[in-house]
Amino acid sequence: MSVADAVKRCEQYNIMPNFIYTTFRSTSDHEKFRMVFLVNEKIHDIRVRELVQRSLMILLSEADVQAKDASRLLFGGKKLVYEAYDNVISVPPDLLNAVILYIKAGSNPSRDMERCC
């Protein structure tokens, strides 16, 4: 998935990142990047954090599954490729509605909903 494709997917589901940056291993042939999202409230409950992470991983299914661990440190990168610092997503309304729309549009919504929940 390219940065442009990722932004297009986010626009489709109205879940926009604050910024996107390329990683040190990114090349023009194989873009590697990280997307950073801002939620509208502090998250104190690990279950809510997991819901947010899982929802974003469903919407951006091409994402690196190794990057979902809450204890993982992510380092900087080469270059900012997208900036929109006013973007904020609401948990749960915006995020859950986006996931539901994404699942409904898939080839097997019943299976995908079960995997999600």
Side-chain angles (χ1 to χ4, degrees):
M1 174 178 265
S2 68
V3 171
D5 291 339
V7 170
K8 189 174 181 179
R9 173 97 44 89
C10 289
E11 287 172 346
Q12 181 179 358
Y13 293 104
N14 200 28
I15 302 292
M16 298 303 295
N18 279 84
F19 61 92
I20 302 172
Y21 64 95
T22 58
T23 67
F24 291 112
R25 294 184 183 222
S26 183
T27 66
S28 57
D29 293 334
H30 186 71
E31 287 183 298
K32 290 183 171 242
F33 56 92
R34 295 197 178 100
M35 302 176 79
V36 178
F37 294 86
L38 177 66
V39 296
N40 65 334
E41 59 189 78
K42 291 181 184 179
I43 297 174
H44 299 281
D45 188 328
I46 190 69
R47 295 168 298 184
V48 175
R49 184 254 174 232
E50 294 295 328
L51 173 69
V52 170
Q53 181 70 47
R54 184 177 296 134
S55 298
L56 291 170
M57 298 291 282
I58 288 169
L59 290 171
L60 300 158
S61 56
E62 299 85 355
D64 179 4
V65 296
Q66 300 300 317
K68 68 181 180 180
D69 183 4
S71 65
R72 184 178 177 116
L73 290 175
L74 299 174
F75 297 100
K78 290 183 193 175
K79 179 179 171 184
L80 274 173
V81 292
Y82 175 90
E83 298 173 75
Y85 297 109
D86 291 334
N87 289 341
V88 178
I89 58 176
S90 297
V91 177
D94 293 343
L95 194 55
L96 292 182
N97 287 336
V99 170
I100 290 167
L101 289 173
Y102 182 81
I103 288 172
K104 283 183 176 180
S107 61
N108 192 337
S110 295
R111 177 201 64 212
D112 294 341
M113 184 60 81
E114 189 172 313
R115 286 182 181 169
C116 174
C117 300

